[in-house]
Amino acid sequence: MKVEPLAIPDVLSIVPRRFADARGYFAETYAAKRFTEIGIDGPFVQDNQSLSRTKGTLRGLHCQVAPFAQGKLVRVLRGAAWDVAVDIREGSPSYGKWVARTLTADGGEQLWVPPGFLHGFLTLATDTEIFYK
């Protein structure tokens, strides 16, 4: 698993290792122990999936506030999206700043969006499916 902090270091790009052969590939996209080691403790309380039929669909910016604040682990199952996280944690040195990463089904990239961030995405392909914990 490749982990890369973005310009706001609490937001992480995570690329699981893929084991490929002639049939396709296998990837472990989440393991509690490994994620705890990189500072993501969970628990994740729900899984969500969305489909955007049209390229250029904008979704967000969303967040959950205390006492219901939650982080999101986001990945693209089909297509591609430009994924954005905006820091709205009062007192944070990066308050009001944002980071973005392109996520693709082919690349398998994931984005960790911690609690206290707005989250949204713009689809870059038709029939883009997004999955997030």
Side-chain angles (χ1 to χ4, degrees), residues 17 25 45 51 79 81 91 94 110:
R17 186 171 173 203
Y25 69 85
V45 296
L51 169 66
S94 55
Q110 299 182 107

Side-chain angles (χ1 to χ4, degrees), residues 5 7 9 13-14 32 37 43 46 50 52 56 61 79 88 98 103 105-106 108 110 114-115:
S13 171
I14 302 166
E37 290 169 357
Q46 69 187 53
S50 72
S52 297
L61 296 165
I88 59 167
W98 60 275
L103 306 177
D106 289 341
Q110 299 182 107

Side-chain angles (χ1 to χ4, degrees), residues 19 34 73 120:
F19 300 90
R34 300 242 359 209
L73 182 62

Side-chain angles (χ1 to χ4, degrees), residues 20-56:
D21 62 24
R23 300 168 295 178
Y25 69 85
F26 170 83
E28 182 178 88
T29 60
Y30 175 77
K33 183 178 184 223
R34 300 242 359 209
F35 274 69
T36 298
E37 290 169 357
I38 64 171
I40 301 172
D41 291 325
F44 291 104
V45 296
Q46 69 187 53
D47 287 346
N48 301 297
Q49 186 170 337
S50 72
L51 169 66
S52 297
R53 295 258 181 229
T54 306
K55 176 181 177 180

Side-chain angles (χ1 to χ4, degrees), residues 110-125:
Q110 299 182 107
L111 190 68
W112 166 245
V113 181
F117 281 74
L118 298 170
H119 172 254
F121 59 86
L122 176 71
T123 61
L124 303 176

